[in-house]
Amino acid sequence: MTSQAHLPKLLQIEPTTACNFNCEMCLHDSTSQSPDRFLDMHAYRRLADEVFPALKGLILFGWGEPLMHPDFLEMLRCARRSLPNGALIKVTSNGSLLSSSSVDAVLEERLIDHLNISYDRPPGDTSEFPGHHSASDLVLGNLDYMLRHPLRSRMHISIETVIMRSNIAALPGLVEQFGALGVDSIFVSHVFPYHPQLEPEMLYTLMSAEARDVFEKLGELDPAAWFGLQQAKSSAAAVPGLTPRQQMLLKQARLDDIKLNYALFQNIKTRMSEFENTRAVFERTRSAAERHGVLLDLPPLFGVLKERSCPYVQADAAVIRADGSVVPCFKNLYAHRAYFNGRTRAYTPHVFGSIEHTPFPAIWNSAAYCQFRSDMLDMNANIGWCGDCSFSLYYCYFSEEARHDCMLNEPFCADCPFSLNLTRCVV
C-alpha cells in the first residue's frame, strides 16, 4: 500500500450512472450518458487494497442510483473489510430500492454509517411536481421500515432536499413530516440550474454577501454618479453626486477587493421581498426542527466571499466515476450546462486520469492534480469570482465559452455555487 501521507482522506466513488428516476433538478437529467455504466468490481477491489486503508471516509454516490449496481452490497462489505476502524461509509440514495432484505443486511452487518435519502416532493402532494419523482409511497414505506427497525440506531438517517421557488413554502411541512417519523437530520440545498427553466427557480444569487452589504450601506445611488465613478481617473478623485461617506465606503471596498456590480444589484433589489419571505420560511423550518429534535442544515441566500472554498479540496477528497475516471468534484462528473444571470455556461468534465490505466495513487500525486489542489486551497487569491464581476449580466467569453477562467485556471470554477455553500456537496 502507498504511504497514507500521499492519499486522500475521503473518496467518493460512483457505482453506476444508471438511475430509475429522472428528476429535472438533478445532473442525471441534464445530459445524456449511454449506455449506463457500472463500476468494474476488479477496479473497485484494487482501490480497496491501494486506498481504503488510508481513508477516513468513503462515499458511494454519483450521477446514478447506487443501489442499481448489481454488486452494491458486496461493495459495502468490501469497503467495511478494507477501511480502518472508525472510517465512515456514507451513501446517498433516492430510497426506492432499499428493500427490507437490503436494509436488514446493511444494519445487521453495519455496512452504512450515514444514509442520505434524497426527497424533494412536498408532503401530501399528489400532482406531477416539476422535476420530482413520483414514487413517494414506495420511498416512504422503505424509510418507515428502516426507522422502525430494531437495529435502526446503527445508522444515521438523513433527508436531503433541494429547495426552489416551486417548493419552498412546503419546507416547514417537510421537516414536520420527517421529524415526526424520526429521521436524524435534514440537509437542504439550493437548486443548481442545469436547465434554463431552473434559473427562475433559484432562491439565491451569486452576488456575495460582502458586495450586497456595501450596496446596502451606500443607499440610493444615482446611476450617473456610479458611472462617473467608473470613469474616474484616480480612486482618490472626487466624483460628483457621491457623499463623502459613500466615497469612503467605496474606497474601503476597493481596499478589501470587493467587486461591485451596480446593474446586478439593481436586479437583486427587485427580489428583496422574496429573500425576506425565504428567510421567514427558514425560521419556521428551524422551529419545526427544534420541536422534533432534528438536526437541520440550511444554506445561505448570499454566500460569504471570504469563506469561499472548494468542499472537496478542503476535505482532501477525490471522485471516481463509474468508468474509472478520476475527477476533482461532483460538478465535474460529466459535461453539462448551467444558467446564471441569463447566460449559459457549458462545463467540460476535467479528468486527471483513469484507474483503468493508472493506479489511483499515481493520479492523486500527479503534478497536475497536486497543482490544482494547491491553487484551490486559496480560491480568492487564485480563482476569480464571476458572481460580483461587472460582466455578470452580460456576455463574457471566459464565463460562457472558455474551458478556463479569466485567470487561466482550468477547470472553470469561477462561478461555482458549491464554493459558497449555496448548492451543496455530500462531503
Side-chain angles (χ1 to χ4, degrees):
M1 187 191 76
T2 303
S3 170
Q4 293 188 12
H6 301 288
L7 289 171
K9 296 176 182 176
L10 182 68
L11 194 60
Q12 180 177 343
I13 296 177
E14 177 186 58
T16 179
T17 60
C19 188
N20 55 335
F21 289 168
N22 200 29
C23 302
E24 184 180 27
M25 75 293 185
C26 178
L27 173 63
H28 188 279
D29 189 52
S30 69
T31 184
S32 60
Q33 293 288 326
S34 182
D36 291 332
R37 294 189 177 95
F38 298 86
L39 184 66
D40 178 73
M41 285 300 293
H42 294 293
Y44 182 83
R45 291 188 181 97
R46 283 201 307 274
L47 287 171
D49 291 337
E50 294 175 345
V51 184
F52 286 13
L55 298 179
K56 292 184 177 180
L58 173 70
I59 299 172
L60 294 176
F61 171 64
W63 193 63
E65 165 55 41
L67 275 81
M68 291 195 72
H69 195 291
D71 295 311
F72 182 70
L73 283 177
E74 177 53 29
M75 282 185 162
L76 293 173
R77 293 182 177 114
C78 178
R80 187 56 81 202
R81 289 192 299 267
S82 302
L83 290 166
N85 292 334
L88 297 180
I89 298 176
K90 182 184 291 188
V91 173
T92 295
S93 167
N94 62 37
S96 65
L97 301 179
L98 286 163
S99 64
S100 58
S101 60
S102 61
V103 171
D104 289 343
V106 163
L107 291 174
E108 289 167 6
E109 300 176 48
R110 297 179 182 267
L111 298 178
I112 298 176
D113 300 293
H114 191 132
L115 176 66
N116 301 312
I117 302 294
S118 297
Y119 193 93
D120 310 284
R121 190 182 182 91
D125 185 273
T126 58
S127 65
E128 286 298 318
F129 195 70
H132 294 68
H133 62 73
S134 57
S136 296
D137 291 343
L138 177 59
V139 173
L140 294 176
N142 292 341
L143 179 62
D144 184 67
Y145 182 82
M146 281 184 277
L147 293 170
R148 294 176 182 274
H149 200 284
L151 300 177
R152 174 260 184 276
S153 62
R154 290 183 171 183
M155 183 168 65
H156 183 103
I157 300 175
S158 178
I159 299 296
E160 290 188 358
T161 191
V162 175
I163 53 170
M164 304 181 286
R165 279 198 177 104
S166 301
N167 68 351
I168 181 62
L171 185 60
L174 183 141
V175 172
E176 289 279 1
Q177 175 188 20
F178 289 109
L181 287 174
V183 301
D184 296 302
S185 61
I186 297 176
F187 183 78
V188 183
S189 174
H190 288 294
V191 68
F192 189 99
Y194 293 114
H195 301 278
Q197 63 268 30
L198 289 178
E199 184 178 357
E201 292 279 358
M202 292 168 56
L203 291 165
Y204 62 98
T205 171
L206 293 185
M207 173 175 275
S208 69
E210 290 91 336
R212 178 209 58 189
D213 289 346
V214 171
F215 276 117
E216 289 186 342
K217 290 175 182 176
L218 283 170
E220 291 301 320
L221 195 63
D222 189 315
W226 177 262
F227 292 112
L229 174 70
Q230 297 291 81
Q231 296 169 12
K233 294 181 179 179
S234 167
S235 61
V239 177
L242 294 179
T243 67
R245 179 177 179 276
Q246 287 174 326
Q247 298 224 43
M248 181 271 292
L249 287 169
L250 291 169
K251 180 179 179 181
Q252 187 60 50
R254 282 193 292 270
L255 292 173
D256 294 337
D257 200 28
I258 299 172
K259 306 295 189 297
L260 299 174
N261 185 332
Y262 178 81
L264 181 60
F265 184 69
Q266 301 311 303
N267 178 279
I268 287 172
K269 282 171 64 176
T270 66
R271 300 179 57 193
M272 287 304 181
S273 61
E274 176 192 328
F275 294 140
E276 290 306 314
N277 175 68
T278 301
R279 289 190 183 98
V281 171
F282 280 2
E283 285 306 309
R284 295 198 298 274
T285 304
R286 290 188 184 97
S287 296
E290 289 173 3
R291 281 195 299 275
H292 293 285
V294 177
L295 294 174
L296 176 67
D297 195 343
L298 292 168
L301 299 179
F302 290 83
V304 179
L305 193 61
K306 67 181 180 181
E307 297 176 0
R308 178 175 171 233
S309 64
C310 171
Y312 282 87
V313 170
Q314 294 299 321
D316 205 13
V319 182
I320 299 177
R321 298 191 324 197
D323 64 357
S325 298
V326 179
V327 298
C329 68
F330 179 83
K331 191 169 73 70
N332 262 283
L333 275 174
Y334 299 103
H336 64 86
R337 295 181 181 274
Y339 300 85
F340 293 116
N341 294 326
R343 56 184 173 79
T344 304
R345 169 75 198 177
Y347 293 97
T348 302
H350 193 83
V351 176
F352 286 107
S354 172
I355 61 172
E356 295 293 324
H357 311 295
T358 308
F360 175 83
I363 298 172
W364 174 257
N365 290 294
S366 66
Y369 206 166
C370 288
Q371 185 63 56
F372 168 80
R373 295 196 301 273
S374 176
D375 291 342
M376 294 292 281
L377 280 172
D378 189 346
M379 291 189 74
N380 287 330
N382 301 312
I383 314 294
W385 176 242
C386 294
D388 293 328
C389 178
S390 297
F391 293 101
S392 286
L393 292 174
Y394 310 104
Y395 169 77
C396 171
Y397 166 72
F398 297 104
S399 68
E400 294 196 34
E401 296 184 41
R403 293 174 65 98
H404 52 75
D405 63 24
C406 59
M407 297 175 72
L408 304 184
N409 298 292
E410 189 180 342
F412 185 90
C413 299
D415 66 355
C416 177
F418 293 93
S419 69
L420 290 184
N421 200 34
L422 295 163
T423 54
R424 315 181 79 188
C425 298
V426 296
V427 296

